[in-house]
């Protein structure tokens, strides 16, 4: 049985003190062992949140990482730096990074590998544009992203730590959610892709999230689907709605 994982992507929102105030207002209401709960604040908050989350159920996640261990990479953050702050999860390949900052499939793969080497979990985002869905290309697009992201990654690492988030770009921040059947079909397809790349056991271990305008009203239905193992939540994770999503049942 796969444990569900619900992660909040705060994106570029909140100063450290605003983020701390919000975190402290919700932290003790999230006390579940049923679901893995992750908060991914901006880099500037990671140090402070690492202390605040000590001994709490909520795990710390990052929104990005660079794949080199150290060196002349101005403005970047290495996996070791994240590990030192007790970061357990890291979003890679979010569509905003792919489209606004030129993150390629190859970079996503390098980032995933660098995180896995240090026993951290990449949350690998994949998903199609509206045009790609309308032209029926969505399965090809997502299959290519999944295969590229997992290139040369050992199956034990996939089983232990990889999370894939299916995030149709047209559903991110738009208030338009994929239907639970559309989301389930693609999450099932992602699992099948991983089965073909590795084996049944690996595919069964893999956790596949859905992301795209998840809110307290649609969470229960989406999360009831067999192949959807959690949610990656953007806008709603900045509000008390996140607690309602975590307690979706
Ligand atoms: C996201 O950016 O990962 C996301 C899912 O955003 P939203 O929930 O706001 O659509």
């Amino acid at each position: 049985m796969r444990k569900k994982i619900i992660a909040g992507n705060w994106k570029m929102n909140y100063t450290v003190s605003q983020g701390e105030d919000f975190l402290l207002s919700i932290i003790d209401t999230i006390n579940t062992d049923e679901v893995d709960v992750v908060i991914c604040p901006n880099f500037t908050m990671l140090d402070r949140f690492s202390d605040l989350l000590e001994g709490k159920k909520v795990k710390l996640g990052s929104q990005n990482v660079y794949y080199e261990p150290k060196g002349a990479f101005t403005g970047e953050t290495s996996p070791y730096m994240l590990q030192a702050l007790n970061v357990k999860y890291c979003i890679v390949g979010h569509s905003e990074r792919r489209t606004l900052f030129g993150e390629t499939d190859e970079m996503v793969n390098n980032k995933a590998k660098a995180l896995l080497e240090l026993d951290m979990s990449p949350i690998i985002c994949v998903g199609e544009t509206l045009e790609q869905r309308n032209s029926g290309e969505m399965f090809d697009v997502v299959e290519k992203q999944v295969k590229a992201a997992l290139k040369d990654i050992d199956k034990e690492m996939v089983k232990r730590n990889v999370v894939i988030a299916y995030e149709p770009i047209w559903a991110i921040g738009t208030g338009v959610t994929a239907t639970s059947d559309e989301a389930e079909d693609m999450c099932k397809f992602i699992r099948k892709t991983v089965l073909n790349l590795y084996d049944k056991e690996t595919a069964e271990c893999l956790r596949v999230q859905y992301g795209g305008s998840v809110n307290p009203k649609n969470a229960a239905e989406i999360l009831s689907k067999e192949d959807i193992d959690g949610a990656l939540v953007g806008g709603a994770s900045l509000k008390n709605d996140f607690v309602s999503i975590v307690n979706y049942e």
Side-chain angles (χ1 to χ4, degrees):
M1 203 26 197
R2 294 179 295 270
K3 191 174 185 185
K4 296 241 191 286
I5 171 166
I6 298 181
N9 172 13
W10 284 10
K11 309 193 184 187
M12 197 175 72
N13 290 292
Y14 292 151
T15 62
V16 178
S17 66
Q18 289 167 338
E20 177 172 340
D21 285 350
F22 177 55
L23 182 72
L24 292 176
S25 76
I26 61 168
I27 190 70
D28 289 324
T29 61
I30 299 178
N31 203 15
T32 173
D33 287 315
E34 307 280 298
V35 178
D36 284 332
V37 182
V38 184
I39 288 181
C40 306
N42 177 269
F43 278 124
T44 54
M45 291 175 230
L46 291 177
D47 186 22
R48 180 77 188 116
F49 279 31
S50 171
D51 291 338
L52 293 173
L53 292 178
E54 216 179 305
K56 304 286 183 188
K57 302 277 173 170
V58 176
K59 298 282 175 280
L60 188 56
S62 167
Q63 297 174 20
N64 191 18
V65 67
Y66 193 59
Y67 44 83
E68 294 291 348
K70 63 176 185 171
F73 302 101
T74 302
E76 294 297 327
T77 304
S78 91
Y80 288 98
M81 294 169 181
L82 298 182
Q83 187 189 44
L85 292 176
N86 236 346
V87 168
K88 300 287 180 222
Y89 294 86
C90 179
I91 300 169
V92 296
H94 190 281
S95 61
E96 286 153 16
R97 295 222 53 89
R98 291 182 192 256
T99 55
L100 301 174
F101 303 102
E103 196 157 308
T104 62
D105 281 340
E106 192 185 353
M107 289 161 79
V108 172
N109 176 243
N110 284 334
K111 291 179 179 194
K113 285 195 283 204
L115 291 162
L116 289 165
E117 287 296 334
L118 297 186
D119 204 21
M120 288 185 276
S121 284
I123 298 178
I124 299 168
C125 299
V126 297
E128 80 285 357
T129 62
L130 190 56
E131 295 71 45
Q132 288 164 335
R133 174 158 284 264
N134 288 340
S135 64
E137 289 170 80
M138 66 270 192
F139 291 109
D140 290 344
V141 168
V142 169
E143 181 178 19
K144 185 170 162 283
Q145 289 173 333
V146 170
K147 284 183 171 167
L150 296 179
K151 187 166 175 280
D152 298 330
I153 294 178
D154 175 78
K155 83 168 188 177
E156 292 308 322
M157 285 184 170
V158 177
K159 280 192 336 204
R160 187 168 154 73
N161 274 330
V162 170
V163 177
I164 295 183
Y166 168 52
E167 296 213 305
I169 295 173
W170 45 273
I172 295 180
T174 57
V176 179
T177 320
T179 66
S180 55
D181 286 338
E182 285 168 338
E184 167 67 4
D185 283 352
M186 188 59 86
C187 292
K188 196 185 276 301
F189 175 78
I190 290 169
R191 197 177 308 289
K192 200 175 117 213
T193 303
V194 168
L195 186 144
N196 293 336
L197 280 176
Y198 297 92
D199 53 28
K200 189 162 187 287
E201 196 193 354
T202 310
E204 288 298 324
C205 285
L206 177 79
R207 293 193 289 181
V208 185
Q209 296 174 306
Y210 166 77
S213 301
V214 174
N215 61 47
K217 289 207 178 84
N218 59 29
E221 187 183 339
I222 291 168
L223 293 168
S224 71
K225 294 290 180 180
E226 194 186 329
D227 282 284
I228 301 180
D229 306 312
L232 182 54
V233 185
S237 72
L238 295 164
K239 304 180 275 189
N240 286 332
D241 283 358
F242 188 63
V243 179
S244 312
I245 294 171
V246 167
N247 299 324
Y248 65 95
E249 276 178 323

